[in-house]
Amino acid sequence: MHKLKNYVLCTFVTVLLFFGMAGAQAAVIIKYSVLEPGVYHSILEENDVYDKTHSEIRKHFEREENATGIPADVYMEAVTKELVKELVNENISVAFSYINGKTEKPEFVASSDKLDVLKNSIDSFFEEYAASINYEKDDVYYEKTSSVYKNASSYILDTVDVYQFRTIDKAGYLSPARTVAGYADKLVICALGFVALMIVIIVVANIGRIANTFYWLGIASGSVSTVVLAVCIYLKTSGFYNRFAIKASHIFASITGACNRFTDILILVNAVLFVSGIIFMILFAFTAKEKDKKTA
């Protein structure tokens, strides 16, 4: 009867440990990867997003050239690859400073200050054109230059927002993300504490039966890692992320790059966990065999 109760207890605790390990993984990855802006900078570098964003901006102004009569180079001489990278990174930094509670509100408007060089380029173009046709500057002239700069800067700032943080903020979803992120530390502590507690219960329930302890720990770590690895391997091998219906190449590369990075992290963590499960089962087999020898 005692053995049955012990078996039921260990089974129940192992199920809890399964979910605890899954939750602990999620909490740790969110805290130390998902909420870290540096991770996204690395993802963008790895997927050539900065260059793709710059190319997207160039293509837009080249398409507009015939309609507006303004050469694309007027814009692109000011909007360099270095400036695009700076604007992209600033969007990410502003968003995560807010989400992580470092600022009271996301100041995305600060990015527009970096586009003064674009305004100067546009003003120079119109001044040269006005001088070439002896056009005297008037209200219409200034309204035109202001309108061209406003439209160009608005497009650029929207394009460099590769993770659509501005759109998410306008929709009111950054604030809930900030609320959840505020509990990240507590979630990590609670999740790891819960896992530790479940392990302690298994150890205590099997005092004097070390083989059983290895068995239950092997079952828990082996099962959770197998499930997570199966899902991750499916996502990677099936090209699931490549099916995302995102037309803009730079945004597609940003989103799928992030998905692939976090999937890779899960694969690495659970590969280690899977190996741990195998080791526990080997230890179980070895200690159980030694126990049989002693009782024989």
Side-chain angles (χ1 to χ4, degrees), residues 50-51 53-55 57-58 73-88 114-115 117-118 156 160:
Y50 298 118
D51 288 343
T53 304
H54 186 264
S55 296
I57 294 172
R58 173 175 287 281
D73 286 343
V74 171
Y75 304 100
M76 300 314 298
E77 285 178 1
V79 186
T80 61
K81 290 183 178 180
E82 290 74 19
L83 177 59
V84 167
K85 181 176 182 178
E86 187 177 349
L87 291 173
V88 170
K114 300 184 186 300
L115 290 177
V117 63
L118 173 64
I156 292 168
V160 298

Side-chain angles (χ1 to χ4, degrees), residues 190-220:
C190 290
L192 294 178
F194 181 80
V195 169
L197 177 61
M198 294 303 103
I199 292 174
V200 168
I201 292 174
I202 289 175
V203 171
V204 171
N206 292 282
I207 290 178
R209 297 184 298 274
I210 189 64
N212 290 357
T213 299
F214 290 138
Y215 173 80
W216 293 113
L217 293 180
I219 290 294

Side-chain angles (χ1 to χ4, degrees), residues 27-293:
V28 171
I29 290 173
I30 288 172
K31 170 63 180 175
Y32 297 104
S33 291
V34 177
L35 294 176
E36 283 296 321
V39 172
Y40 295 89
H41 298 161
S42 172
I43 291 170
L44 299 185
E45 286 281 8
E46 185 179 301
N47 291 276
D48 298 321
V49 174
Y50 298 118
D51 288 343
K52 288 176 181 176
T53 304
H54 186 264
S55 296
E56 192 74 21
I57 294 172
R58 173 175 287 281
K59 289 176 185 177
H60 170 78
F61 289 122
E62 287 176 345
R63 289 193 297 268
E64 293 287 307
E65 189 171 332
N66 291 332
T68 63
I70 303 174
D73 286 343
V74 171
Y75 304 100
M76 300 314 298
E77 285 178 1
V79 186
T80 61
K81 290 183 178 180
E82 290 74 19
L83 177 59
V84 167
K85 181 176 182 178
E86 187 177 349
L87 291 173
V88 170
N89 287 343
E90 184 178 272
N91 268 286
I92 295 171
S93 297
V94 168
F96 280 102
S97 290
Y98 173 71
I99 292 172
N100 290 322
K102 296 178 181 178
T103 56
E104 290 303 315
K105 60 180 181 178
E107 297 285 355
F108 292 112
V109 292
S111 300
S112 60
D113 296 338
K114 300 184 186 300
L115 290 177
D116 286 343
V117 63
L118 173 64
K119 188 177 187 305
N120 294 336
S121 182
I122 291 172
D123 287 343
S124 296
F125 169 76
F126 276 99
E127 285 178 3
E128 290 177 9
Y129 180 72
S132 69
I133 61 173
N134 295 317
Y135 184 88
E136 186 176 344
K137 297 178 181 178
D138 54 13
D139 290 342
V140 175
Y141 170 87
Y142 289 112
E143 286 177 7
K144 179 64 176 178
T145 56
S146 176
S147 174
V148 169
Y149 169 72
K150 183 178 180 180
N151 291 336
S153 61
S154 177
Y155 171 77
I156 292 168
L157 292 176
D158 284 341
T159 304
V160 298
D161 186 19
V162 296
Y163 285 112
Q164 302 296 284
F165 286 123
R166 291 168 182 264
T167 303
I168 294 170
D169 182 42
K170 289 177 182 177
Y173 293 123
L174 270 192
S175 181
R178 175 188 172 95
T179 301
V180 173
Y183 293 101
D185 289 328
K186 293 179 181 177
L187 287 173
V188 170
I189 293 171
C190 290
L192 294 178
F194 181 80
V195 169
L197 177 61
M198 294 303 103
I199 292 174
V200 168
I201 292 174
I202 289 175
V203 171
V204 171
N206 292 282
I207 290 178
R209 297 184 298 274
I210 189 64
N212 290 357
T213 299
F214 290 138
Y215 173 80
W216 293 113
L217 293 180
I219 290 294
S221 55
S223 57
V224 70
S225 60
T226 299
V227 171
V228 176
L229 283 172
V231 173
C232 291
I233 290 172
Y234 166 77
L235 292 174
K236 295 285 286 187
T237 58
S238 67
F240 178 81
Y241 299 133
N242 294 331
R243 301 174 198 164
F244 289 174
I246 303 173
K247 293 182 179 180
S249 62
H250 64 299
I251 295 178
F252 178 84
S254 303
I255 301 299
T256 57
C259 290
N260 279 306
R261 172 66 67 85
F262 298 133
T263 301
D264 289 341
I265 292 173
L266 278 170
I267 289 174
L268 177 60
V269 169
N270 284 278
V272 172
L273 202 55
F274 185 78
V275 172
S276 299
I278 293 175
I279 293 173
F280 281 131
M281 296 310 287
I282 291 173
L283 290 172
F284 160 69
F286 176 76
T287 52
K289 187 176 181 181
E290 288 297 312
K291 183 180 178 181
D292 289 342
K293 286 181 179 180

